[in-house]
Amino acid sequence: MLNNTIKEVENKWLQILYEYLKAEFKKTWLPSHDETHHYRVWQYCKEMLIYLNEYGYPFSRHIVEQLIIAVFFHDLGLTRTYDSSHGRVSRDLCTQFLKNFPDLGKNFINPILTAIERHDDKSYIGLKSDDRLIKTDLHSILALSDDLDAFGPVGVYRYIEIYNLRKIKIQEMPSQINENLNNRFSFLLWLCSDMEDMIQKHKKRFRYTVNFFENMNAQLKSGINKNTSEGPLGVYNLLIEETRKKHIHFTKLPV
């Protein structure tokens, strides 16, 4: 059974990967994408595997192992660069890590590295097709699992921190973020087209994030003082002040 396979894979890899990332992120204060982000993405990944399996899509132990490694390395490159090209750096870091496991062959490793490098391409080039196998592709599952963590209150913080670090002007954030969100949700609709329960579950979380940034945009256009403590802009200012300047993890804030 898939559940047993997942448990076996976690017993082998989860602690090793989590502790490795935890040590790496001690060098870089990035709570929105640290080891806790990667752990959340793994939880979404397991959810996707189980849902897809119930709808007739098979997953071998081989791909479950590839996925847990890909998940825990996909954003590690952000410890070196905040750029959207961090996937390439993540790929290099994963390559170095996997040298500790010489028994893993190229046929096992190469798909992991490819999925890591391409995970943040929200055009989903090469993924949307009529090929049924794409729905069980390593890249597809990694990309969607990461997407799901961008929805809901956690997603709000993820966007605020990373877009702020990328020096995107606050007036430009809402439109850029919602375009990115809509691309992510469109991919969910495509990949899970025959799983209405899955779509409805995450649609609420998607709408939460979209509404937040639509309201933030309305505040900005109204001419309100950008330093306000009210509404979405107030949340933005609180998060920047407390997490970026005071290094308080966003999960500890009353937001």
Side-chain angles (χ1 to χ4, degrees), residues 1 4 11 22 29 57 71 81 93 107 111 121 124 128 130 141-142 150 159 171-172 176 179 185 196 217 250:
M1 291 183 61
N4 291 336
N11 287 339
K22 187 175 181 180
W29 176 249
Y57 297 93
V71 163
T81 176
L93 294 172
N107 289 339
D121 177 6
Y124 304 96
K128 292 184 179 181
D130 294 329
I141 303 299
L142 172 61
Y159 278 112
Q171 295 87 348
E172 298 172 2
Q176 289 190 28
E179 179 181 0
F185 189 67
E196 186 62 25
N217 192 45
F250 73 96

Side-chain angles (χ1 to χ4, degrees), residues 85-106:
S85 64
H86 65 274
R88 290 198 297 271
V89 182
S90 299
R91 175 190 177 120
D92 293 341
L93 294 172
C94 187
T95 299
Q96 292 301 312
F97 170 80
L98 291 177
K99 288 180 179 179
N100 297 311
F101 304 89
D103 56 316
L104 300 178
K106 288 185 177 180

Side-chain angles (χ1 to χ4, degrees), residues 105-118:
K106 288 185 177 180
N107 289 339
F108 180 87
I109 292 174
N110 286 343
I112 296 173
L113 301 179
T114 299
I116 288 171
E117 182 172 358
R118 298 178 180 175

Side-chain angles (χ1 to χ4, degrees), residues 47-75:
E47 178 186 16
M48 284 304 308
L49 290 175
I50 291 168
Y51 259 100
L52 286 165
N53 188 243
E54 289 175 351
Y55 279 83
Y57 297 93
F59 293 97
S60 65
R61 179 190 174 100
H62 185 87
I63 195 170
V64 176
E65 284 202 65
Q66 289 176 314
L67 275 165
I68 196 171
I69 296 169
V71 163
F72 273 92
F73 272 89
H74 76 278
D75 274 342

